[in-house]
Amino acid sequence: MTQQQAQQRINELVEKINYYNYRYYHDAVSEISDYQFDQLMEELMRLEQQFPEFARPDSPTQRVGGTITKEFPQVRHKYPMLSLSNTYSLGELFEFDQRVRKGLQNQPFEYVCELKWDGVALSFTYREGLLVLGATRGDGEQGDDITANIKTIRTLPLRVQADQLPAEFEVRGEGFMSRHVFDQLNQEIEEENQQREKEGKKLLSYLANPRNAAAGTLKMQDSALVARRKIDAYIYDLLCQNNPFATHAEALHYLGQIGFQISPYYRLCKNIEEVFDFIKEWETKRHHLPVDTDGVVIKINNYVQREELGYTAKSPRWAIAYKYKAESAATQLLSISYQVGRTGAITPVANLRPVKLAGTTVKRATLHNANEIARLDLHQSDTVFIEKSGEIIPKITGVDLSKRLPSAPKIRFLTHCPECGTPLVRHPGEAAFYCPNEKSCPPQLKGKIEHFISRKAMNIDSIGAKTVDLFFEKGLIRTPADLYQLRREDILQLEGFKELSSQNIINGIQASKNQPFSRVLFALGIRFVGETVAEKLAAYFKDIDSLAKADKETLMQVPEIGEKIADSVLRWFADPDNRAYLERLKAAGVQLSIPENTTVRSHKLEGKTFVISGTFKKYGREELKQLIASHSGKNVSSVSSKTDFLLAGEGVGPAKLSKAEKLGVKIISEEEFEQMIAD
Ligand code: IVH
């Protein structure tokens, strides 16, 4: 390969990989399989090693890390990094609003409400489109230069095309670690500790919470380790000379368009009442996000008005942070129960001396898994602190060590299944212990049937968990396939069932035979094959026999299917019992393939082009695509001026949303779409 060819290929690979990365992290779309992606990365790394003179500063290989920084140089912030004044009281927020209105002499104004991410404030400087500096807040005047570390943040563009901004600009945001990654890391520590315990070595301490973990990670000296810890960031600020935008919302919108990750949950509010609504709405909803939040930041939208309001010594007068109170209490741990799920995973639950908390009496708290017990270092009869916010089940946040009796023994996790007595096992890389007796442990069998009939699977809503329990106890069903052999007479014999209710159950089971192939695939309950993966597999293989025949390589060709899923699928189909189970489902007439040609059901969507983004309550994405096609509409993957509708579900891609808004593409919900095709 000549020098020129090498440079050309490096450039090609950088552009290609950066594009796929962007699609994946920004639009949640994988255009190629993980395997193909890894191959491109490997080729690029090889070439960069061979021809280091052509390695580019925006090369995706930088994201993998490898730079060791002994001591982080200090950098002076071009614009000081201020902090916000905090409040826990809506009354004080009301007073803030009064100060703002007075300061603006009753001119009209708007607030922007954003979620307050619980992480680390970061600043990123771009020059001529290239990311040149990443820094921590430090004391607000100067912070640490952690450029090598922040380059591992996958959602942060290494290069941007920011035509509307000056050659140098700065964006700021919050670096964070998702709860999922946090749990995984503690899991790794737990595994290491098990080994150390055996060898009599000193145990490692657990990470206390995702915020500390993010802060610690960003200050690690080896950026390759940082890369493994998957730090992410939401951008919430733009700073530059001659800022071309009049408002914060316009700036956010633009930053989102050019490729920065902006939280999709910010909202413009016309007055303080709307701010209160936002705060109330997110008080419980925030717990469903994968990232910790501790409040809401309320900012004046207009930049000129911000300057009119000015600053105190430490913080702007044009913004304030409202923090949610975590309600907590102390109580005594009475015992621990263990629940067995459908996959055999064992979940420990703490039984507590009843205590009033946030208006309800709490008797139990989740403990997640063995790591959590180890992390808390729980001993019998400990006095524990519990916290609860909104509808979330309370959790134990710590132990009051001053109340622990010296003789209290440490809590040891179960060694055998509480339901069937089988010794528990743990898979490498997973936090949970499992009962491996999947073929006869009763709660696992029942759990599999419950999963099979659930709404997003076969949707047999004429049967509930109680009925499954009863049928199981009476020996009527042992696997989901038995459902299709149930007769009305069998049910009628049972106490409490009449003609009508029995017939209803049978009808529900019969109707499930119309559930599309992807739902059936999901209903099988193969590990790691969730709704989305089931859709991808169904769309790719079209029928169960082709899927059953596929080897690992073929499986990994499917977008978003990695090794873990491929192995799990292979394992499932290799089991003769599962094959026999499938044969019974086939004989019952369940859909085990996608119909050849989508039959045209109407011409209602003729000439209309749709983009689908997000997740939906009733339908899977592939199902929606088929529905669109069957009503003569057209599916495309990206929003353009030719698109008629953006069918937006929960978590719709922010880039798609802003593009649709800009181009005037109509944004519709699942319900609106249903109306379009309704008879
Ligand atoms: S704005 C001048 N917006 O909260 C104010 N801060 O003291 C600039 N934070 O550590 C901050 N989410 O890193 C802003 N949506 C958000 C935020 C946010 C989290 C953090 C910030 C800082 C603290 C404010």
Side-chain angles (χ1 to χ4, degrees):
M1 186 178 255
T2 67
Q3 296 249 328
Q4 200 192 356
Q5 281 168 330
Q7 188 174 18
Q8 199 180 349
R9 182 63 185 154
I10 285 179
N11 285 340
E12 227 172 73
L13 286 165
V14 168
E15 302 291 337
K16 237 185 183 155
I17 299 172
N18 281 346
Y19 168 77
Y20 290 131
N21 256 331
Y22 181 83
R23 291 285 284 156
Y24 184 78
Y25 288 102
H26 204 254
D27 303 336
V29 172
S30 319
E31 293 192 8
I32 56 172
S33 68
D34 294 1
Y35 175 75
Q36 288 164 316
F37 185 88
D38 291 345
Q39 297 251 300
L40 294 177
M41 274 297 271
E42 270 167 36
E43 184 185 349
L44 179 59
M45 269 190 249
R46 231 181 13 249
L47 283 173
E48 283 180 351
Q49 241 167 31
Q50 221 179 330
F51 302 92
E53 63 274 32
F54 299 135
R56 288 172 36 166
D58 62 337
S59 166
T61 55
Q62 305 243 341
R63 304 225 187 256
V64 191
T67 316
I68 309 278
T69 320
K70 276 268 174 297
E71 205 170 318
F72 297 111
Q74 292 288 299
V75 274
R76 181 156 284 281
H77 295 300
K78 193 161 179 186
Y79 310 91
M81 284 182 86
L82 303 175
S83 61
L84 292 174
S85 56
N86 278 335
T87 178
Y88 287 91
S89 129
L90 293 177
E92 282 183 17
L93 208 53
F94 196 74
E95 286 165 17
F96 164 78
D97 177 60
Q98 280 177 327
R99 284 197 301 278
V100 166
R101 281 190 291 159
K102 195 162 158 217
L104 295 179
Q105 294 166 347
N106 291 329
Q107 311 166 41
F109 69 94
E110 283 175 322
Y111 289 117
V112 177
C113 283
E114 290 169 18
L115 292 176
K116 187 171 185 303
W117 308 105
D118 200 8
V120 185
L122 295 173
S123 115
F124 310 102
T125 306
Y126 287 78
R127 211 170 287 139
E128 313 287 353
L130 272 186
L131 172 59
V132 291
L133 174 68
T136 60
R137 177 172 181 275
D139 62 5
E141 295 293 328
Q142 59 179 34
D144 291 343
D145 173 346
I146 51 164
T147 309
N149 287 351
I150 57 94
K151 281 191 171 175
T152 66
I153 300 176
R154 302 270 170 165
T155 55
L156 188 70
L158 299 175
R159 177 194 288 275
V160 285
Q161 199 177 341
D163 301 333
Q164 297 196 39
L165 298 182
E168 182 171 314
F169 68 90
E170 191 176 327
V171 294
R172 288 184 183 164
E174 196 79 352
F176 60 84
M177 179 182 281
S178 74
R179 271 195 296 277
H180 173 72
V181 174
F182 170 77
D183 287 342
Q184 249 177 1
L185 286 176
N186 266 343
Q187 159 67 18
E188 282 171 23
I189 295 175
E190 160 75 5
E191 274 164 27
E192 169 72 25
N193 277 348
Q194 281 181 353
Q195 192 58 34
R196 286 177 175 233
E197 204 166 11
K198 275 188 216 147
E199 294 166 5
K201 286 191 190 153
K202 190 170 174 280
L203 300 190
L204 305 172
S205 43
Y206 289 85
L207 301 168
N209 57 50
R211 175 171 27 89
N212 286 4
T217 302
L218 285 165
K219 295 226 173 158
M220 292 204 301
Q221 294 180 340
D222 180 353
S223 63
L225 290 180
V226 180
R228 289 191 41 218
R229 289 181 155 209
K230 300 187 184 137
I231 298 294
D232 203 348
Y234 275 131
I235 301 302
Y236 54 62
D237 218 353
L238 165 68
L239 295 114
C240 60
Q241 305 272 290
N242 307 322
N243 191 327
F245 304 107
T247 65
H248 178 58
E250 284 169 47
L252 285 184
H253 179 82
Y254 178 72
L255 290 175
Q257 267 189 334
I258 62 175
F260 287 100
Q261 176 166 254
I262 307 298
S263 153
Y265 307 116
Y266 73 88
R267 184 184 299 164
L268 275 172
C269 293
K270 286 204 250 346
N271 50 46
I272 198 72
E273 283 73 30
E274 290 189 8
V275 171
F276 289 156
D277 289 344
F278 184 89
I279 289 175
K280 203 157 177 203
E281 180 179 329
W282 280 99
E283 173 143 25
T284 47
K285 255 173 58 177
R286 70 198 176 104
H287 297 291
H288 302 296
L289 297 173
V291 190
D292 279 353
T293 52
D294 58 351
V296 171
V297 182
I298 300 120
K299 306 173 180 176
I300 300 293
N301 191 24
N302 185 292
Y303 287 145
V304 174
Q305 290 177 333
R306 284 185 177 189
E307 293 315 309
E308 280 175 34
L309 288 165
Y311 301 80
T312 68
K314 278 187 296 188
S315 52
R317 287 203 174 86
W318 46 260
I320 191 166
Y322 174 84
K323 296 237 242 170
Y324 291 113
K325 280 194 268 297
E327 304 224 30
S328 65
T331 186
Q332 199 187 13
L333 175 66
L334 299 177
S335 64
I336 294 189
S337 324
Y338 295 87
Q339 293 166 349
V340 186
R342 90 175 145 90
T343 57
I346 311 285
T347 310
V349 177
N351 299 307
L352 306 168
R353 186 175 298 287
V355 61
K356 275 249 184 265
L357 178 62
T360 55
T361 304
V362 174
K363 297 192 196 95
R364 286 144 71 83
T366 50
L367 278 166
H368 304 294
N369 50 50
N371 294 350
E372 188 71 0
I373 297 178
R375 187 175 79 81
L376 292 163
D377 186 29
L378 275 187
H379 285 49
Q380 262 174 36
S381 310
D382 264 348
T383 297
V384 293
F385 299 113
I386 57 170
E387 268 186 19
K388 178 181 168 180
S389 326
E391 66 211 289
I392 296 293
I393 312 161
K395 71 179 219 184
I396 298 181
T397 55
V399 175
D400 185 348
L401 290 176
S402 70
K403 300 229 168 95
R404 177 178 292 164
L405 299 173
S407 57
K410 204 178 163 115
I411 299 228
R412 298 260 165 214
F413 203 80
L414 277 194
T415 52
H416 291 74
C417 176
E419 301 277 346
C420 70
T422 307
L424 300 181
V425 296
R426 205 175 208 191
H427 307 298
E430 280 186 45
F433 275 97
Y434 286 88
C435 165
N437 180 19
E438 53 177 331
K439 296 208 174 142
S440 49
C441 178
Q444 294 192 53
L445 294 178
K446 283 192 269 189
K448 286 192 175 82
I449 302 173
E450 276 167 31
H451 169 71
F452 186 85
I453 63 174
S454 63
R455 194 168 54 89
K456 296 199 158 177
M458 300 306 276
N459 193 21
I460 308 180
D461 59 4
S462 54
I463 309 180
K466 273 214 181 96
T467 317
V468 170
D469 242 18
L470 180 71
F471 288 3
F472 189 88
E473 301 310 332
K474 296 284 175 199
L476 288 180
I477 52 175
R478 232 180 120 74
T479 76
D482 297 332
L483 288 169
Y484 296 97
Q485 255 140 31
L486 268 182
R487 292 168 313 157
R488 202 169 52 135
E489 300 77 62
D490 302 330
I491 306 174
L492 260 173
Q493 287 174 13
L494 304 175
E495 215 180 84
F497 286 90
K498 303 236 157 57
E499 287 277 340
L500 195 66
S501 50
S502 310
Q503 191 57 48
N504 223 347
I505 289 177
I506 300 290
N507 291 350
I509 296 171
Q510 290 304 321
S512 75
K513 294 180 184 170
N514 294 326
Q515 286 292 91
F517 176 42
S518 60
R519 299 284 177 130
V520 180
L521 208 45
F522 172 58
L524 295 179
I526 304 173
R527 287 201 80 200
F528 310 123
V529 179
E531 264 176 280
T532 319
V533 171
E535 288 212 3
K536 303 259 173 219
L537 290 173
Y540 191 90
F541 290 102
K542 309 265 190 296
D543 63 69
I544 200 85
D545 294 330
S546 316
L547 174 62
K549 273 201 282 256
D551 57 12
K552 187 159 167 176
E553 205 170 297
T554 317
L555 283 164
M556 285 174 65
Q557 292 294 322
V558 184
E560 275 168 59
I561 308 297
E563 192 162 3
K564 191 168 87 172
I565 302 175
D567 282 339
S568 172
V569 171
L570 287 175
R571 224 177 301 126
W572 197 90
F573 282 101
D575 184 331
D577 288 342
N578 289 337
R579 295 277 190 157
Y581 166 47
L582 271 182
E583 284 310 315
R584 290 187 60 205
L585 289 180
K586 209 182 250 179
V590 163
Q591 302 280 326
L592 288 168
S593 61
I594 293 179
E596 274 287 296
N597 290 316
T598 337
T599 37
V600 177
R601 288 161 56 177
S602 89
H603 293 279
K604 288 196 176 110
L605 307 179
E606 184 104 57
K608 300 280 183 260
T609 306
F610 289 79
V611 172
I612 302 175
S613 176
T615 53
F616 299 84
K617 290 195 274 298
K618 263 199 182 163
Y619 304 96
R621 288 238 279 257
E622 289 305 322
E623 271 181 86
L624 284 171
K625 278 188 193 164
Q626 281 186 21
L627 271 176
I628 289 169
S630 70
H631 289 279
S632 314
K634 192 172 155 199
N635 289 291
V636 290
S637 62
S638 56
V639 177
S640 73
S641 58
K642 291 195 195 115
T643 314
D644 295 294
F645 297 98
L646 172 63
L647 177 45
E650 198 164 307
V652 49
K656 287 205 166 91
L657 205 54
S658 57
K659 196 156 181 201
E661 277 167 2
K662 188 170 153 222
L663 297 173
V665 171
K666 198 155 179 226
I667 300 160
I668 55 167
S669 66
E670 185 175 8
E671 290 78 20
E672 285 170 302
F673 173 73
E674 269 190 323
Q675 278 167 15
M676 290 173 74
I677 54 169
D679 292 322

